[in-house]
Amino acid sequence: MRGWLVRGTTMAVLHAVVQVGVAAARIHTPGAIAVVEPAALGVLAGAAVLWGGLDGWLRRSRRGRGVAWFVAGLLAGPLAGVLGLVGQSALLDQAGVEVLGSVLTSGAAFTALLVMVPAELGLVLGGLVQPRRRRPVIGGQGQA
């Protein structure tokens, strides 16, 4: 399976779940939203940085990993918006089709950037970390 497809759908599902969680917090505990929203953004950006960092550290296909995260962001943006809208409609406030336009434009662009930029940062940072070298095995047993 293509790397961008796995990354994009996984990040879209994560973003949709967090979006529904933030909407639930806004409805049920409006006073906590000042803490919940920045924490949610931190979780989303942290997930992209960690996954991108892992790709950079493991040196996954040097030639296409930046492009894979770019395409993953383009996929995650609209998909996360639609999944979040469906989740909110089913679980919380019966949001309708009237918000679909903003979800697929500005919401999708923000989500795409929230996937692309931290993942690219993670790729750069992960590429700076050298993988640990294994010691050579002498005589069938490792050195102590």
Side-chain angles (χ1 to χ4, degrees):
M1 189 175 279
R2 300 265 185 210
W4 60 266
L5 185 60
V6 173
R7 287 165 179 78
T9 52
T10 303
M11 294 302 288
V13 169
L14 177 65
H15 278 255
V17 167
V18 169
Q19 179 183 353
V20 172
V22 167
R26 185 174 286 120
I27 291 170
H28 299 297
T29 55
I33 201 66
V35 175
V36 172
E37 280 185 337
L41 285 175
V43 166
L44 295 173
V49 167
L50 287 175
W51 199 347
L54 185 63
D55 281 350
W57 181 60
L58 294 176
R59 312 289 197 265
R60 301 236 193 243
S61 69
R62 287 183 187 264
R63 205 179 59 198
R65 59 186 176 189
V67 173
W69 276 107
F70 179 77
V71 176
L74 292 179
L75 172 67
L79 184 59
V82 170
L83 291 175
L85 182 62
V86 168
Q88 284 182 21
S89 296
L91 301 174
L92 296 174
D93 59 2
Q94 306 302 323
V97 180
E98 65 274 1
V99 295
L100 189 59
S102 66
V103 163
L104 291 177
T105 55
S106 59
F110 180 71
T111 301
L113 285 175
L114 199 54
V115 170
M116 291 177 201
V117 173
E120 294 294 331
L121 177 66
L123 280 172
V124 169
L125 294 176
L128 297 176
V129 177
Q130 296 295 322
R132 193 169 71 166
R133 294 183 186 172
R134 294 189 174 191
R135 295 183 186 179
V137 176
I138 300 173
Q141 297 179 355
Q143 296 176 353

